[in-house]
Amino acid sequence: MYTFVQKFHSGWAYVALLLLLFAVVNSFLGKSSKKEYTAKDRKIALFGLIATHIQLVVGLILYFFSPLGSAAIGQMAESGVRLTWLEHPIINILAIVLITIGWSKHKKGANNDAKFNSIFIFYGLGLVLILSRIPWKLWL
């Protein structure tokens, strides 16, 4: 069961990253072209939000139910272990908090530019943080 959840977490990451990237690019294009914020734009941002939250839940399940957890605590001096067990979870939780803030702020936006701007800035920051803490050696 653990292996399935681990594979799902790795596979779903592609979906989450693509949807998040799509939301960032869509908001940038909407903002730069001064177009109207439509239901399609809202759905794109919402799908990015949902995908990252699913990734968070699956990641937390892995983190707390991993058979390797207690053994990893004593090995934090190794950079790979520290990335996987400390930096990756903390930074990605922070990234998802930023994405959630962006979603909330965009709903309160008074005009189209404010809505696109909130999505672009907060989702973009979240995307950069997520990309910075992916364990690339394990992933590729």
Side-chain angles (χ1 to χ4, degrees):
M1 183 66 163
Y2 175 78
T3 305
F4 171 76
V5 175
Q6 188 177 31
K7 299 270 188 225
F8 181 80
H9 184 66
S10 295
W12 188 258
Y14 290 106
V15 175
L17 286 172
L18 284 173
L19 288 170
L20 196 55
L21 179 64
F22 188 49
V24 170
V25 169
N26 181 64
S27 63
F28 175 75
L29 293 174
K31 180 180 172 348
S32 63
S33 66
K34 305 279 189 218
K35 74 175 208 166
E36 184 178 338
Y37 189 85
T38 64
K40 178 190 75 117
D41 300 311
R42 186 185 67 77
K43 288 177 185 172
I44 291 170
L46 180 61
F47 290 153
L49 176 81
I50 291 169
T52 56
H53 278 84
I54 290 171
Q55 185 70 356
L56 172 65
V57 169
V58 174
L60 289 174
I61 290 168
L62 275 177
Y63 189 81
F64 288 112
F65 295 107
S66 172
L68 308 172
S70 59
I73 292 173
Q75 302 172 352
M76 285 295 169
E78 289 185 41
S79 64
V81 174
R82 189 177 56 249
L83 172 66
T84 305
W85 290 96
L86 184 68
E87 296 170 6
H88 177 77
I90 290 173
I91 298 298
N92 287 341
I93 288 170
L94 177 62
I96 293 171
V97 166
L98 287 172
I99 292 166
T100 306
I101 290 170
W103 174 258
S104 296
K105 283 183 69 71
H106 111 278
K107 291 192 301 184
K108 297 174 186 172
N111 55 36
N112 296 324
D113 193 47
K115 290 180 184 204
F116 282 124
N117 206 27
S118 293
I119 296 294
F120 177 69
I121 291 171
F122 286 96
Y123 279 47
L125 287 172
L127 179 62
V128 168
L129 286 175
I130 290 169
L131 289 174
S132 76
R133 293 296 109 199
I134 289 176
W136 293 105
K137 290 179 183 178
L138 297 174
W139 213 39
L140 299 175

